[in-house]
Amino acid sequence: MLKSKHNKGDDILKNFYQKIHEFFSEGIQFKIVKFIYKKIPMFMAASYLLLLGFLAITWDVKIILAVIVPAFIFLSVTVFRKLFNFQRPYEKMDLPPLISKDKKGESFPSRHCASAFAISGAFFYTNIYLGIFYTILALLVALSRIFSGVHFVRDVVAAALYSCALSSLYLIIPYFLPLQ
């Protein structure tokens, strides 16, 4: 007797994304998710560049790790996504994404989410209050990726955990290799 590849977990997941799509597909909810999805990542990237500019102008040695750690996170996530090529929710469940996206595969982990948390780590490294603010923005980016239907929860959770774990290098490296 052949078993179907379909399972109850798939039904629960599809139902979850259908409910999200129904709730966020119109009205103010849609506008908020679209704003967060499109504008917050751009704001974070621009802010990060300003941070690097400030560190460069002030000859702050923290610029070394503020460049290396996020760059490593971005590059390693990019390579992992290409190697393993996980499907996106709209591919796997045949549901349209809330915000139009044609990309196939490379869903795990979310590069936007990993980058947002890498940027928040860089801000934490330089100023705890800015770090808290940018971590809140990173959480919003993560939620927007789920709510828009372009990433599974596992994609953003893995990205956030990975970035946070590697951001611990901001504490570890200066301990063993004083950069002052």
Side-chain angles (χ1 to χ4, degrees):
M1 183 166 155
L2 292 173
K3 286 193 173 189
S4 170
K5 287 187 175 188
H6 183 79
N7 65 45
K8 189 171 181 162
D10 289 341
D11 289 339
I12 292 169
L13 200 57
K14 187 168 185 171
N15 187 39
F16 172 73
Y17 278 93
Q18 282 175 326
K19 298 276 187 212
I20 286 174
H21 193 275
E22 288 169 16
F23 181 78
F24 288 105
S25 64
E26 52 190 48
I28 189 74
Q29 308 93 293
F30 175 74
K31 291 178 182 175
I32 291 169
V33 168
K34 186 175 179 182
F35 176 82
I36 293 169
Y37 181 93
K38 292 190 178 278
K39 304 298 183 192
I40 301 293
M42 288 191 300
F43 172 76
M44 290 185 77
S47 299
Y48 174 64
L49 292 175
L50 288 173
L51 172 67
L52 294 180
F54 174 77
L55 293 174
I57 289 169
T58 59
W59 292 88
D60 193 326
V61 72
K62 288 182 178 179
I63 193 170
I64 296 167
L65 289 180
V67 169
I68 292 172
V69 173
F72 180 79
I73 291 169
F74 180 85
L75 292 173
S76 59
V77 164
T78 299
V79 168
F80 186 91
R81 289 160 47 105
K82 291 211 177 286
L83 288 174
F84 294 96
N85 201 27
F86 283 65
Q87 285 184 312
R88 294 175 176 272
Y90 57 83
E91 292 176 278
K92 187 170 182 163
M93 295 178 288
D94 197 31
L95 291 171
L98 195 63
I99 297 165
S100 183
K101 190 160 182 93
D102 294 331
K103 186 164 180 78
K104 301 285 188 216
E106 298 183 17
S107 179
F108 181 85
S110 166
R111 190 169 43 209
H112 276 85
C113 184
S115 298
F117 278 94
I119 290 169
S120 75
F123 275 101
F124 254 115
Y125 179 51
T126 58
N127 180 293
I128 192 166
Y129 300 109
L130 287 173
I132 292 168
F133 174 71
Y134 280 90
T135 299
I136 292 167
L137 292 182
L139 287 167
L140 291 173
V141 169
L143 289 172
S144 76
R145 310 308 287 176
I146 296 166
F147 295 159
S148 63
V150 299
H151 282 288
F152 291 106
V153 173
R154 65 146 199 248
D155 301 340
V156 299
V157 169
L161 291 174
Y162 181 70
S163 290
C164 289
L166 286 182
S167 290
S168 68
L169 293 173
Y170 290 120
L171 302 172
I172 296 168
I173 290 175
Y175 181 77
F176 292 105
L177 192 73
L179 297 174
Q180 301 291 347

